[in-house]
Amino acid sequence: MDALWVFLLLLVPLLLWSSSTFVFYFKKCFYVAYMMVLAVFAIPICIFKSGGRDIENMRVIRALVRHVKYFLGLRFVVSGLEHLQTEGPYVIISNHQSSLDVLGVMEVLPDRCTMVAKKELVYAGTVGLVCWLGGIVFINRKKTSDAKSVMVDAAKTMLDDQIRLWVFPEGTRNQKGDLLPFKKGAFHLAVQAQAPIIPIVFSSYSNFYLRKEKQFNSGTITLKVLPKIETKGLTSEDINYLSEKSFNLMRSAFLDISGSAPLTQTNGPKSHH
């Protein structure tokens, strides 16, 4: 038995050194498992601190997760942080490439800010419970009517509790080297609450993380916070205009900080404005 452990202990470094596919799966498994372990520590702290589901628990989550990037060999370069020094509620929108986005979110997450996430996440073991304790708003992506009513409630909560919400308007993970057309939920939310939108753009992960090719190297991610887009005085008639404006600003920033031309041509939301 001892010989088997010695063999495995020698085998793992060898595979990490020689096989990029092994590195990919090793890092992915480590990331998921480690986040689950961190959640085990976060749960009692959140309950002790806030007594249950409370947006203030996002501070605990932020503090516990911030160091994870070092284990994965990732570095973040952030610009435009001053744009998050906005008083009161606002809606943050950002592009969505992988579950690694969480690490970038925790780099810049302002106080009294939580996220909108797919309902399935609540079932992700200890991580799901911590998300619930952090006040994350869960939506059913398959039922538009449910998603819309959740957004109406979220707008009310934003104003009543003076909170901020982080939304991924592409609606799904995307590593195509460009942005996917935006879904309208985040813009309905912002207009309903008459709260500004603050776009945050993550540079492309393609120079260090490729899911299809099974590559996960060390890398640097640029996070760019763009100036806020006001929604005061806008109505549901302006949703397409707002969505298109945000898309074009974010797409331009994404291509700029990723240093690439788009791999595929993605058209933004059609404007009827």
Side-chain angles (χ1 to χ4, degrees):
M1 194 64 188
D2 288 346
L4 178 65
W5 279 112
V6 171
F7 174 70
L8 287 173
L9 282 171
L10 291 172
L11 184 65
V12 168
L14 182 65
L15 286 170
L16 284 172
W17 178 71
S18 63
S19 168
S20 61
T21 303
F22 182 79
V23 170
F24 175 85
Y25 285 112
F26 184 86
K27 277 185 161 182
K28 288 277 281 186
C29 291
F30 170 82
Y31 178 51
V32 172
Y34 192 55
M35 292 294 257
M36 292 276 190
V37 170
L38 287 176
V40 169
F41 289 99
I43 289 163
I45 298 170
C46 289
I47 292 169
F48 178 74
K49 196 169 168 291
S50 307
R53 182 171 161 87
D54 191 321
I55 196 163
E56 288 300 320
N57 287 329
M58 290 305 289
R59 289 172 183 258
V60 175
I61 297 164
R62 183 177 63 191
L64 281 173
V65 169
R66 273 208 165 160
H67 70 283
V68 176
K69 62 190 176 206
Y70 300 117
F71 289 116
L72 300 174
L74 301 178
R75 199 167 71 89
F76 288 92
V77 175
V78 180
S79 67
L81 262 182
E82 67 277 7
H83 299 306
L84 291 174
Q85 308 303 313
T86 300
E87 289 296 307
Y90 49 77
V91 177
I92 295 173
I93 56 173
S94 71
N95 54 317
H96 189 20
Q97 297 177 77
S98 119
S99 59
L100 295 172
D101 295 346
V102 171
L103 303 181
V105 170
M106 294 306 157
E107 283 292 300
V108 297
L109 188 79
D111 289 340
R112 298 202 61 73
C113 182
T114 192
M115 297 159 73
V116 174
K118 60 184 180 184
K119 199 174 80 174
E120 295 88 336
L121 188 62
V122 82
Y123 305 115
T126 53
V127 167
L129 181 52
V130 153
C131 289
W132 183 82
L133 286 167
I136 284 181
V137 176
F138 296 102
I139 58 167
N140 185 346
R141 293 182 302 179
K142 295 181 180 66
K143 288 184 76 173
T144 310
S145 57
D146 284 7
K148 277 187 177 157
S149 67
V150 167
M151 285 302 196
V152 170
D153 292 345
K156 187 177 182 311
T157 305
M158 275 181 79
L159 295 174
D160 291 349
D161 299 346
Q162 290 291 294
I163 66 167
R164 294 85 184 245
L165 277 175
W166 189 307
V167 187
F168 297 104
E170 290 171 290
T172 189
R173 287 181 277 192
N174 160 40
Q175 262 205 301
K176 293 190 167 70
D178 206 343
L179 303 192
L180 293 176
F182 287 172
K183 295 183 184 306
K184 302 293 193 296
F187 306 99
H188 281 288
L189 175 66
V191 166
Q192 191 133 11
Q194 293 287 284
I197 291 170
I198 301 180
I200 297 183
V201 185
F202 289 64
S203 61
S204 172
Y205 295 174
S206 61
N207 61 336
F208 69 90
Y209 178 80
L210 294 165
R211 206 162 49 228
K212 274 187 184 155
E213 289 83 352
K214 305 287 178 279
Q215 282 194 342
F216 191 167
N217 304 317
S218 298
T220 300
I221 299 154
T222 302
L223 278 186
K224 187 169 186 177
V225 186
L226 303 182
K228 68 181 176 184
I229 301 167
E230 286 292 356
T231 63
K232 283 248 161 41
L234 297 186
T235 68
S236 55
E237 297 290 308
D238 302 297
I239 297 295
N240 285 327
Y241 153 77
L242 193 58
S243 174
E244 189 172 75
K245 179 181 181 178
S246 304
F247 179 90
N248 290 335
L249 284 168
M250 287 176 68
R251 182 171 187 260
S252 172
F254 173 76
L255 296 175
D256 179 45
I257 62 178
S258 302
S260 65
L263 300 179
T264 53
Q265 183 62 39
T266 308
N267 295 318
K270 296 281 185 286
S271 174
H272 305 293
H273 191 69

